[in-house]
Amino acid sequence: RFEGWGFGASRPQGQDHWPERYPYCGGALQSPIDLESDLLRFDPTLRPIEVQNYNLSPNEQLTLGNNGHSVQLSLSPMMSISSLHNRYTAAQLHFHWGSSSRPAGSEHTVNSKQYAAELHVVHYNSDKYPNISTAVDKSDGLAVLGVPFTQQLISVLSFRLSDQKVKVPAFNIRALLPTRLDEYYRYDGSLTTPPCYPSVLWTVFRNPITVSRKQFLTLATALYSTNAQDSASMSLNNNYRKTQPVDNRLVLASFK
Ligand code: SG5
Ligand code: ZN
């Protein structure tokens, strides 16, 4: 089920046409961007990212869903980032990836290099807003952690379009972040999909992670079982937005 937009560039509902129906998509502070060395400013005040309760117990259950644009896992409201000016509570995580023929699908690029895939852990400012729907269009509403992946996820994430939701056992979400949480890029940006609200404080980790197939087993099993019940279907791939103009934004780095 496509809600009136897709990722293909020049197609009538593709990303080149998002601004016609979603004006913010053609506005300021858009994401993703190319994290270019020449552009970076070292900021010694950027502290290591600290996350709370990312190590979920398998006794807990998470909901896995697919809206036709990505696959997302709802997260425990116990999970948060504590090292920013406000506390940001986790809401969901999702991925952007390429395809088997072109295993390059990250949204942020580093000196124009596109990684195989990118994980986004979406949090909302729970000091100021009661829930994510209230926070989503506020300038200080969201904080997303971005993690570049070097290994393509398509083998486990090649599932079909479906509105189904399944419960999966929780696992250690910290294992989806790189070991070093002190080295990252930081800038003010937006949602990378319509309606492209300029509401996201972006943190993109410097170090990519490589995950084994095994680490994705929980997700994969759920996806395959969702898939099996779905006959008329369409594969979901290349769900990334092109990089956007940096304009006069400051792009900070926590490292030299
Ligand atoms: C994906 O990216 C997510 C959106 C997310 C946007 O399209 O979709 C999924 O994960 C499939 C369900 O998440 C939802 O729509 C959650 C219901 O939008 C948000 O997170 C809005 C708060 C854009 O997020 S991104 O900028 O990090 N890429
Ligand atoms: Zn995303």
Side-chain angles (χ1 to χ4, degrees):
R1 180 174 61 92
F2 273 80
E3 289 135 9
W5 58 268
F7 288 92
S10 50
R11 306 171 70 179
Q13 300 187 316
Q15 49 185 298
D16 291 351
H17 296 279
W18 290 355
E20 295 158 19
R21 284 175 55 213
Y22 303 97
Y24 285 112
C25 298
L29 304 178
Q30 291 299 291
S31 294
I33 60 170
D34 181 37
L35 300 159
E36 198 199 319
S37 303
D38 290 349
L39 215 84
L40 300 178
R41 181 181 299 187
F42 169 60
D43 182 348
T45 70
L46 291 175
R47 305 318 315 154
I49 297 296
E50 286 170 23
V51 296
Q52 256 72 56
N53 300 317
Y54 263 48
N55 194 356
L56 300 177
S57 145
N59 299 326
E60 249 186 279
Q61 299 238 293
L62 303 177
T63 305
L64 188 74
N66 164 13
N67 67 353
H69 302 302
S70 182
V71 55
Q72 76 148 3
L73 192 64
S74 65
L75 294 173
S76 156
M78 296 296 291
M79 289 172 58
S80 66
I81 308 174
S82 58
S83 50
L84 301 175
H85 291 300
N86 289 119
R87 179 172 293 272
Y88 285 80
T89 295
Q92 52 107 343
L93 65 76
H94 63 267
F95 297 91
H96 302 264
W97 64 89
S99 65
S100 40
S101 55
R102 215 190 73 87
S106 73
E107 297 214 295
H108 289 93
T109 55
V110 178
N111 295 319
S112 302
K113 177 197 158 71
Q114 192 178 22
Y115 287 92
E118 189 169 326
L119 163 69
H120 289 157
V121 192
V122 182
H123 304 70
Y124 70 94
N125 185 340
S126 48
D127 281 344
K128 294 206 177 168
Y129 308 106
N131 50 50
I132 192 160
S133 351
T134 315
V136 70
D137 61 347
K138 307 299 188 298
S139 62
D140 58 356
L142 303 181
V144 180
L145 301 182
V147 184
F149 277 56
T150 50
Q151 184 178 290
Q152 67 177 102
L153 303 175
I154 197 71
S155 53
V156 290
L157 291 179
S158 78
F159 60 104
R160 309 288 178 160
L161 270 188
S162 147
D163 273 325
Q164 290 167 348
K165 292 197 163 150
V166 290
K167 295 274 186 195
V168 298
F171 55 99
N172 184 6
I173 309 288
R174 175 65 182 85
L176 297 178
L177 304 183
T179 313
R180 294 193 68 154
L181 300 185
D182 59 330
E183 294 193 337
Y184 57 86
Y185 308 94
R186 163 65 51 74
Y187 75 99
D188 287 317
S190 73
L191 295 179
T192 65
T193 63
C196 307
Y197 294 130
S199 58
V200 180
L201 180 65
W202 275 98
T203 300
V204 179
F205 291 107
R206 180 193 200 183
N207 299 118
I209 83 160
T210 304
V211 287
S212 65
R213 262 185 88 89
K214 205 178 158 200
Q215 279 173 294
F216 270 94
L217 206 62
T218 317
L219 281 173
T221 308
L223 290 171
Y224 287 138
S225 59
T226 308
N227 208 3
Q229 299 164 37
D230 199 293
S231 47
S233 55
M234 179 181 160
S235 64
L236 172 53
N237 52 40
N238 295 314
N239 60 351
Y240 61 89
R241 188 186 195 191
K242 294 186 291 196
T243 55
Q244 302 295 306
V246 173
D247 295 330
N248 54 3
R249 277 181 282 182
L250 261 185
V251 184
L252 305 175
S254 67
F255 58 90
K256 268 192 202 152

